[in-house]
Amino acid sequence: RNLTVEENLRFAAALHGVPARLAEQRITELLALFELAERRDTPIGALSGGMRRAVDIARGVLHRPRVLFLDEPTIGLDPINRRAIWRYIERLRAELGATVLLTTHYLEEAEDCHRVLFLNRGRIIGDGTPSELIGALGHSVLEVTAEDPDAVAAALAGRLEAPVREGNRLLFRIRGEEPDIGALRGELGASVHAMNLRRPDLNDVYVWLNRTDTPLAAGSEA
């Protein structure tokens, strides 16, 4: 923490045997990428949490690893720096063929991965490409926010699959014909505060796998 940003990166380069001239080039590039050039001579201990995280990432990719393990790499970073990190990592994948193993709770970051695994208490509960996992959930999700969610679920039983409940909100996955939202609103009446039909994403897959014992699709091993 007493070393400056540049000293930290130079030290990391030396540990990995990166030649001094090449290290200088990469350090300059990374400082510019993560908007740390003006902090080159600042001790790590004086940086914000987000800036320290950016230096951690820069130090981890300085030697251009062929396999890169990233554990929650963008926690504490603003959206601009998060995007900058992912642009650089994508360059490593494209130019060097680097393999990236990522753990994250920002599931939008996993949507560009080739393969996604969902874990619960050390057990794999979902495995596949993002498109496979989302497709297994359904082609749309019906969100219903209601004063009495149990009554809504009972009224729609038999017509829609059993929902996942989050407080006063119900999530129905739609795998067949999409329901008529206007007709449902009229049928359910004023007890329904909001109703929305949208495309699913990995967040929906995660919620479904963790809140229900029902497989995503027939024959699924999740």
mmCIF file of all heavy atoms in Angstrom, residues 22-59:
data_model
loop_
_atom_site.group_PDB
_atom_site.id
_atom_site.type_symbol
_atom_site.label_atom_id
_atom_site.label_comp_id
_atom_site.label_asym_id
_atom_site.label_seq_id
_atom_site.Cartn_x
_atom_site.Cartn_y
_atom_site.Cartn_z
ATOM 1 N N LEU A 22 9.186 -3.450 -22.520
ATOM 2 C CA LEU A 22 7.818 -3.913 -22.768
ATOM 3 C C LEU A 22 6.919 -3.568 -21.588
ATOM 4 O O LEU A 22 5.758 -3.185 -21.764
ATOM 5 C CB LEU A 22 7.819 -5.415 -23.026
ATOM 6 C CG LEU A 22 6.469 -6.064 -23.370
ATOM 7 C CD1 LEU A 22 5.847 -5.401 -24.583
ATOM 8 C CD2 LEU A 22 6.638 -7.558 -23.590
ATOM 9 N N ALA A 23 7.458 -3.692 -20.372
ATOM 10 C CA ALA A 23 6.679 -3.355 -19.183
ATOM 11 C C ALA A 23 6.274 -1.888 -19.202
ATOM 12 O O ALA A 23 5.126 -1.545 -18.886
ATOM 13 C CB ALA A 23 7.484 -3.666 -17.926
ATOM 14 N N GLU A 24 7.200 -0.999 -19.595
ATOM 15 C CA GLU A 24 6.895 0.429 -19.652
ATOM 16 C C GLU A 24 5.756 0.699 -20.634
ATOM 17 O O GLU A 24 4.833 1.466 -20.348
ATOM 18 C CB GLU A 24 8.144 1.209 -20.073
ATOM 19 C CG GLU A 24 7.923 2.694 -20.269
ATOM 20 C CD GLU A 24 7.548 3.406 -18.977
ATOM 21 O OE1 GLU A 24 7.945 2.918 -17.889
ATOM 22 O OE2 GLU A 24 6.849 4.430 -19.045
ATOM 23 N N GLN A 25 5.797 0.023 -21.781
ATOM 24 C CA GLN A 25 4.755 0.203 -22.801
ATOM 25 C C GLN A 25 3.397 -0.259 -22.274
ATOM 26 O O GLN A 25 2.388 0.434 -22.425
ATOM 27 C CB GLN A 25 5.132 -0.591 -24.053
ATOM 28 C CG GLN A 25 4.081 -0.611 -25.138
ATOM 29 C CD GLN A 25 4.463 -1.540 -26.280
ATOM 30 O OE1 GLN A 25 5.647 -1.776 -26.539
ATOM 31 N NE2 GLN A 25 3.469 -2.080 -26.959
ATOM 32 N N ARG A 26 3.365 -1.424 -21.648
ATOM 33 C CA ARG A 26 2.097 -1.972 -21.149
ATOM 34 C C ARG A 26 1.568 -1.163 -19.968
ATOM 35 O O ARG A 26 0.358 -0.961 -19.838
ATOM 36 C CB ARG A 26 2.282 -3.437 -20.753
ATOM 37 C CG ARG A 26 2.530 -4.344 -21.945
ATOM 38 C CD ARG A 26 2.653 -5.791 -21.524
ATOM 39 N NE ARG A 26 2.916 -6.654 -22.661
ATOM 40 C CZ ARG A 26 3.162 -7.959 -22.559
ATOM 41 N NH1 ARG A 26 3.165 -8.545 -21.368
ATOM 42 N NH2 ARG A 26 3.400 -8.674 -23.639
ATOM 43 N N ILE A 27 2.454 -0.708 -19.092
ATOM 44 C CA ILE A 27 2.029 0.098 -17.951
ATOM 45 C C ILE A 27 1.383 1.393 -18.424
ATOM 46 O O ILE A 27 0.325 1.802 -17.932
ATOM 47 C CB ILE A 27 3.217 0.379 -17.014
ATOM 48 C CG1 ILE A 27 3.609 -0.901 -16.269
ATOM 49 C CG2 ILE A 27 2.879 1.480 -16.015
ATOM 50 C CD1 ILE A 27 4.914 -0.788 -15.501
ATOM 51 N N THR A 28 2.010 2.041 -19.390
ATOM 52 C CA THR A 28 1.445 3.286 -19.931
ATOM 53 C C THR A 28 0.073 3.035 -20.538
ATOM 54 O O THR A 28 -0.872 3.813 -20.334
ATOM 55 C CB THR A 28 2.390 3.875 -20.995
ATOM 56 O OG1 THR A 28 3.647 4.182 -20.379
ATOM 57 C CG2 THR A 28 1.802 5.140 -21.608
ATOM 58 N N GLU A 29 -0.050 1.932 -21.274
ATOM 59 C CA GLU A 29 -1.331 1.587 -21.904
ATOM 60 C C GLU A 29 -2.405 1.328 -20.849
ATOM 61 O O GLU A 29 -3.537 1.820 -20.956
ATOM 62 C CB GLU A 29 -1.146 0.344 -22.778
ATOM 63 C CG GLU A 29 -2.436 -0.151 -23.430
ATOM 64 C CD GLU A 29 -2.251 -1.442 -24.190
ATOM 65 O OE1 GLU A 29 -1.142 -2.005 -24.152
ATOM 66 O OE2 GLU A 29 -3.225 -1.905 -24.810
ATOM 67 N N LEU A 30 -2.053 0.583 -19.800
ATOM 68 C CA LEU A 30 -3.037 0.243 -18.772
ATOM 69 C C LEU A 30 -3.425 1.455 -17.936
ATOM 70 O O LEU A 30 -4.595 1.618 -17.568
ATOM 71 C CB LEU A 30 -2.486 -0.864 -17.877
ATOM 72 C CG LEU A 30 -2.407 -2.249 -18.524
ATOM 73 C CD1 LEU A 30 -1.543 -3.188 -17.694
ATOM 74 C CD2 LEU A 30 -3.803 -2.827 -18.704
ATOM 75 N N LEU A 31 -2.477 2.319 -17.625
ATOM 76 C CA LEU A 31 -2.797 3.533 -16.871
ATOM 77 C C LEU A 31 -3.778 4.403 -17.649
ATOM 78 O O LEU A 31 -4.705 4.984 -17.076
ATOM 79 C CB LEU A 31 -1.521 4.312 -16.557
ATOM 80 C CG LEU A 31 -0.571 3.677 -15.533
ATOM 81 C CD1 LEU A 31 0.699 4.513 -15.401
ATOM 82 C CD2 LEU A 31 -1.246 3.529 -14.182
ATOM 83 N N ALA A 32 -3.580 4.488 -18.964
ATOM 84 C CA ALA A 32 -4.499 5.274 -19.793
ATOM 85 C C ALA A 32 -5.862 4.601 -19.862
ATOM 86 O O ALA A 32 -6.902 5.264 -19.765
ATOM 87 C CB ALA A 32 -3.913 5.455 -21.194
ATOM 88 N N LEU A 33 -5.869 3.275 -20.025
ATOM 89 C CA LEU A 33 -7.118 2.535 -20.160
ATOM 90 C C LEU A 33 -7.999 2.706 -18.934
ATOM 91 O O LEU A 33 -9.210 2.929 -19.039
ATOM 92 C CB LEU A 33 -6.813 1.051 -20.377
ATOM 93 C CG LEU A 33 -8.028 0.127 -20.469
ATOM 94 C CD1 LEU A 33 -8.780 0.353 -21.764
ATOM 95 C CD2 LEU A 33 -7.606 -1.321 -20.349
ATOM 96 N N PHE A 34 -7.397 2.624 -17.747
ATOM 97 C CA PHE A 34 -8.157 2.696 -16.505
ATOM 98 C C PHE A 34 -8.192 4.103 -15.914
ATOM 99 O O PHE A 34 -8.580 4.287 -14.759
ATOM 100 C CB PHE A 34 -7.588 1.714 -15.486
ATOM 101 C CG PHE A 34 -7.719 0.276 -15.906
ATOM 102 C CD1 PHE A 34 -6.655 -0.604 -15.779
ATOM 103 C CD2 PHE A 34 -8.902 -0.204 -16.433
ATOM 104 C CE1 PHE A 34 -6.775 -1.930 -16.156
ATOM 105 C CE2 PHE A 34 -9.031 -1.525 -16.817
ATOM 106 C CZ PHE A 34 -7.968 -2.396 -16.686
ATOM 107 N N GLU A 35 -7.782 5.084 -16.717
ATOM 108 C CA GLU A 35 -7.805 6.492 -16.312
ATOM 109 C C GLU A 35 -7.037 6.710 -15.009
ATOM 110 O O GLU A 35 -7.491 7.385 -14.084
ATOM 111 C CB GLU A 35 -9.252 6.983 -16.181
ATOM 112 C CG GLU A 35 -10.022 6.901 -17.492
ATOM 113 C CD GLU A 35 -11.435 7.442 -17.384
ATOM 114 O OE1 GLU A 35 -11.879 7.744 -16.258
ATOM 115 O OE2 GLU A 35 -12.093 7.582 -18.428
ATOM 116 N N LEU A 36 -5.844 6.114 -14.948
ATOM 117 C CA LEU A 36 -4.994 6.213 -13.765
ATOM 118 C C LEU A 36 -3.698 6.970 -14.045
ATOM 119 O O LEU A 36 -2.826 7.041 -13.172
ATOM 120 C CB LEU A 36 -4.643 4.813 -13.246
ATOM 121 C CG LEU A 36 -5.790 3.996 -12.625
ATOM 122 C CD1 LEU A 36 -5.366 2.550 -12.438
ATOM 123 C CD2 LEU A 36 -6.213 4.602 -11.304
ATOM 124 N N ALA A 37 -3.565 7.522 -15.259
ATOM 125 C CA ALA A 37 -2.311 8.176 -15.628
ATOM 126 C C ALA A 37 -1.952 9.297 -14.652
ATOM 127 O O ALA A 37 -0.781 9.461 -14.278
ATOM 128 C CB ALA A 37 -2.395 8.709 -17.059
ATOM 129 N N GLU A 38 -2.951 10.049 -14.220
ATOM 130 C CA GLU A 38 -2.674 11.148 -13.302
ATOM 131 C C GLU A 38 -2.401 10.657 -11.878
ATOM 132 O O GLU A 38 -1.974 11.445 -11.027
ATOM 133 C CB GLU A 38 -3.845 12.132 -13.296
ATOM 134 C CG GLU A 38 -4.046 12.849 -14.634
ATOM 135 C CD GLU A 38 -5.176 13.863 -14.569
ATOM 136 O OE1 GLU A 38 -5.807 13.973 -13.497
ATOM 137 O OE2 GLU A 38 -5.426 14.534 -15.600
ATOM 138 N N ARG A 39 -2.648 9.371 -11.645
ATOM 139 C CA ARG A 39 -2.396 8.778 -10.315
ATOM 140 C C ARG A 39 -1.127 7.923 -10.325
ATOM 141 O O ARG A 39 -0.877 7.196 -9.365
ATOM 142 C CB ARG A 39 -3.582 7.898 -9.914
ATOM 143 C CG ARG A 39 -4.900 8.651 -9.796
ATOM 144 C CD ARG A 39 -4.920 9.482 -8.534
ATOM 145 N NE ARG A 39 -6.222 10.101 -8.316
ATOM 146 C CZ ARG A 39 -6.575 10.698 -7.192
ATOM 147 N NH1 ARG A 39 -5.713 10.738 -6.183
ATOM 148 N NH2 ARG A 39 -7.751 11.248 -7.063
ATOM 149 N N ARG A 40 -0.338 8.030 -11.351
ATOM 150 C CA ARG A 40 0.865 7.211 -11.511
ATOM 151 C C ARG A 40 1.754 7.242 -10.259
ATOM 152 O O ARG A 40 2.288 6.215 -9.843
ATOM 153 C CB ARG A 40 1.644 7.717 -12.721
ATOM 154 C CG ARG A 40 2.954 6.995 -12.981
ATOM 155 C CD ARG A 40 3.732 7.689 -14.103
ATOM 156 N NE ARG A 40 3.043 7.567 -15.375
ATOM 157 C CZ ARG A 40 3.327 6.637 -16.279
ATOM 158 N NH1 ARG A 40 4.302 5.764 -16.046
ATOM 159 N NH2 ARG A 40 2.668 6.593 -17.414
ATOM 160 N N ASP A 41 1.910 8.414 -9.639
ATOM 161 C CA ASP A 41 2.815 8.579 -8.505
ATOM 162 C C ASP A 41 2.098 8.597 -7.158
ATOM 163 O O ASP A 41 2.686 8.973 -6.142
ATOM 164 C CB ASP A 41 3.622 9.878 -8.669
ATOM 165 C CG ASP A 41 4.476 9.858 -9.928
ATOM 166 O OD1 ASP A 41 5.058 8.801 -10.224
ATOM 167 O OD2 ASP A 41 4.542 10.899 -10.622
ATOM 168 N N THR A 42 0.820 8.170 -7.163
ATOM 169 C CA THR A 42 0.038 8.152 -5.915
ATOM 170 C C THR A 42 0.200 6.811 -5.207
ATOM 171 O O THR A 42 0.075 5.758 -5.839
ATOM 172 C CB THR A 42 -1.457 8.382 -6.220
ATOM 173 O OG1 THR A 42 -1.622 9.626 -6.903
ATOM 174 C CG2 THR A 42 -2.277 8.391 -4.942
ATOM 175 N N PRO A 43 0.467 6.805 -3.911
ATOM 176 C CA PRO A 43 0.534 5.537 -3.172
ATOM 177 C C PRO A 43 -0.816 4.813 -3.226
ATOM 178 O O PRO A 43 -1.878 5.453 -3.192
ATOM 179 C CB PRO A 43 0.868 5.961 -1.743
ATOM 180 C CG PRO A 43 1.500 7.308 -1.879
ATOM 181 C CD PRO A 43 0.810 7.961 -3.051
ATOM 182 N N ILE A 44 -0.771 3.507 -3.312
ATOM 183 C CA ILE A 44 -1.995 2.707 -3.392
ATOM 184 C C ILE A 44 -2.916 2.996 -2.208
ATOM 185 O O ILE A 44 -4.141 3.064 -2.346
ATOM 186 C CB ILE A 44 -1.652 1.207 -3.441
ATOM 187 C CG1 ILE A 44 -0.917 0.861 -4.728
ATOM 188 C CG2 ILE A 44 -2.914 0.358 -3.303
ATOM 189 C CD1 ILE A 44 -1.740 1.047 -5.975
ATOM 190 N N GLY A 45 -2.329 3.204 -1.022
ATOM 191 C CA GLY A 45 -3.135 3.445 0.167
ATOM 192 C C GLY A 45 -3.948 4.714 0.115
ATOM 193 O O GLY A 45 -4.900 4.878 0.884
ATOM 194 N N ALA A 46 -3.607 5.626 -0.804
ATOM 195 C CA ALA A 46 -4.328 6.895 -0.913
ATOM 196 C C ALA A 46 -5.426 6.847 -1.975
ATOM 197 O O ALA A 46 -6.120 7.842 -2.171
ATOM 198 C CB ALA A 46 -3.348 8.027 -1.228
ATOM 199 N N LEU A 47 -5.573 5.724 -2.656
ATOM 200 C CA LEU A 47 -6.577 5.608 -3.710
ATOM 201 C C LEU A 47 -7.931 5.210 -3.145
ATOM 202 O O LEU A 47 -8.025 4.620 -2.066
ATOM 203 C CB LEU A 47 -6.146 4.562 -4.741
ATOM 204 C CG LEU A 47 -4.865 4.820 -5.540
ATOM 205 C CD1 LEU A 47 -4.583 3.642 -6.449
ATOM 206 C CD2 LEU A 47 -4.967 6.115 -6.344
ATOM 207 N N SER A 48 -8.985 5.507 -3.893
ATOM 208 C CA SER A 48 -10.318 5.029 -3.547
ATOM 209 C C SER A 48 -10.386 3.522 -3.777
ATOM 210 O O SER A 48 -9.529 2.934 -4.455
ATOM 211 C CB SER A 48 -11.370 5.724 -4.411
ATOM 212 O OG SER A 48 -11.241 5.319 -5.768
ATOM 213 N N GLY A 49 -11.424 2.906 -3.221
ATOM 214 C CA GLY A 49 -11.595 1.467 -3.396
ATOM 215 C C GLY A 49 -11.698 1.068 -4.851
ATOM 216 O O GLY A 49 -11.124 0.057 -5.283
ATOM 217 N N GLY A 50 -12.442 1.860 -5.644
ATOM 218 C CA GLY A 50 -12.593 1.550 -7.062
ATOM 219 C C GLY A 50 -11.277 1.641 -7.808
ATOM 220 O O GLY A 50 -10.977 0.819 -8.682
ATOM 221 N N MET A 51 -10.463 2.645 -7.478
ATOM 222 C CA MET A 51 -9.162 2.795 -8.139
ATOM 223 C C MET A 51 -8.224 1.653 -7.759
ATOM 224 O O MET A 51 -7.470 1.155 -8.607
ATOM 225 C CB MET A 51 -8.543 4.143 -7.768
ATOM 226 C CG MET A 51 -9.198 5.337 -8.424
ATOM 227 S SD MET A 51 -8.345 6.880 -8.015
ATOM 228 C CE MET A 51 -9.294 8.045 -8.999
ATOM 229 N N ARG A 52 -8.274 1.237 -6.491
ATOM 230 C CA ARG A 52 -7.435 0.097 -6.090
ATOM 231 C C ARG A 52 -7.839 -1.159 -6.845
ATOM 232 O O ARG A 52 -6.993 -1.969 -7.230
ATOM 233 C CB ARG A 52 -7.537 -0.135 -4.578
ATOM 234 C CG ARG A 52 -6.787 0.897 -3.755
ATOM 235 C CD ARG A 52 -6.516 0.394 -2.338
ATOM 236 N NE ARG A 52 -7.736 0.111 -1.608
ATOM 237 C CZ ARG A 52 -8.380 1.003 -0.865
ATOM 238 N NH1 ARG A 52 -7.919 2.249 -0.776
ATOM 239 N NH2 ARG A 52 -9.473 0.684 -0.212
ATOM 240 N N ARG A 53 -9.142 -1.328 -7.056
ATOM 241 C CA ARG A 53 -9.616 -2.481 -7.832
ATOM 242 C C ARG A 53 -9.095 -2.410 -9.266
ATOM 243 O O ARG A 53 -8.675 -3.419 -9.834
ATOM 244 C CB ARG A 53 -11.144 -2.518 -7.814
ATOM 245 C CG ARG A 53 -11.779 -3.551 -8.724
ATOM 246 C CD ARG A 53 -11.478 -4.958 -8.301
ATOM 247 N NE ARG A 53 -12.149 -5.292 -7.046
ATOM 248 C CZ ARG A 53 -12.278 -6.529 -6.578
ATOM 249 N NH1 ARG A 53 -11.779 -7.539 -7.241
ATOM 250 N NH2 ARG A 53 -12.876 -6.752 -5.435
ATOM 251 N N ALA A 54 -9.089 -1.222 -9.852
ATOM 252 C CA ALA A 54 -8.578 -1.069 -11.208
ATOM 253 C C ALA A 54 -7.096 -1.421 -11.275
ATOM 254 O O ALA A 54 -6.640 -2.065 -12.233
ATOM 255 C CB ALA A 54 -8.809 0.359 -11.698
ATOM 256 N N VAL A 55 -6.323 -1.008 -10.256
ATOM 257 C CA VAL A 55 -4.897 -1.357 -10.220
ATOM 258 C C VAL A 55 -4.732 -2.871 -10.075
ATOM 259 O O VAL A 55 -3.847 -3.472 -10.703
ATOM 260 C CB VAL A 55 -4.172 -0.623 -9.075
ATOM 261 C CG1 VAL A 55 -2.721 -1.071 -8.989
ATOM 262 C CG2 VAL A 55 -4.227 0.885 -9.292
ATOM 263 N N ASP A 56 -5.580 -3.502 -9.275
ATOM 264 C CA ASP A 56 -5.536 -4.962 -9.130
ATOM 265 C C ASP A 56 -5.701 -5.642 -10.490
ATOM 266 O O ASP A 56 -4.970 -6.585 -10.821
ATOM 267 C CB ASP A 56 -6.653 -5.439 -8.196
ATOM 268 C CG ASP A 56 -6.329 -5.194 -6.735
ATOM 269 O OD1 ASP A 56 -5.142 -4.980 -6.425
ATOM 270 O OD2 ASP A 56 -7.270 -5.199 -5.923
ATOM 271 N N ILE A 57 -6.688 -5.183 -11.257
ATOM 272 C CA ILE A 57 -6.941 -5.774 -12.570
ATOM 273 C C ILE A 57 -5.752 -5.527 -13.486
ATOM 274 O O ILE A 57 -5.294 -6.437 -14.205
ATOM 275 C CB ILE A 57 -8.221 -5.202 -13.196
ATOM 276 C CG1 ILE A 57 -9.440 -5.509 -12.315
ATOM 277 C CG2 ILE A 57 -8.430 -5.763 -14.596
ATOM 278 C CD1 ILE A 57 -9.779 -6.964 -12.209
ATOM 279 N N ALA A 58 -5.245 -4.293 -13.504
ATOM 280 C CA ALA A 58 -4.095 -3.970 -14.354
ATOM 281 C C ALA A 58 -2.908 -4.853 -14.012
ATOM 282 O O ALA A 58 -2.197 -5.348 -14.895
ATOM 283 C CB ALA A 58 -3.737 -2.492 -14.196
ATOM 284 N N ARG A 59 -2.670 -5.063 -12.722
ATOM 285 C CA ARG A 59 -1.555 -5.896 -12.283
ATOM 286 C C ARG A 59 -1.760 -7.347 -12.724
ATOM 287 O O ARG A 59 -0.805 -8.049 -13.056
ATOM 288 C CB ARG A 59 -1.450 -5.803 -10.759
ATOM 289 C CG ARG A 59 -0.122 -6.221 -10.190
ATOM 290 C CD ARG A 59 0.008 -5.749 -8.751
ATOM 291 N NE ARG A 59 -1.153 -6.130 -7.947
ATOM 292 C CZ ARG A 59 -1.426 -5.634 -6.754
ATOM 293 N NH1 ARG A 59 -0.647 -4.708 -6.234
ATOM 294 N NH2 ARG A 59 -2.474 -6.048 -6.075
#
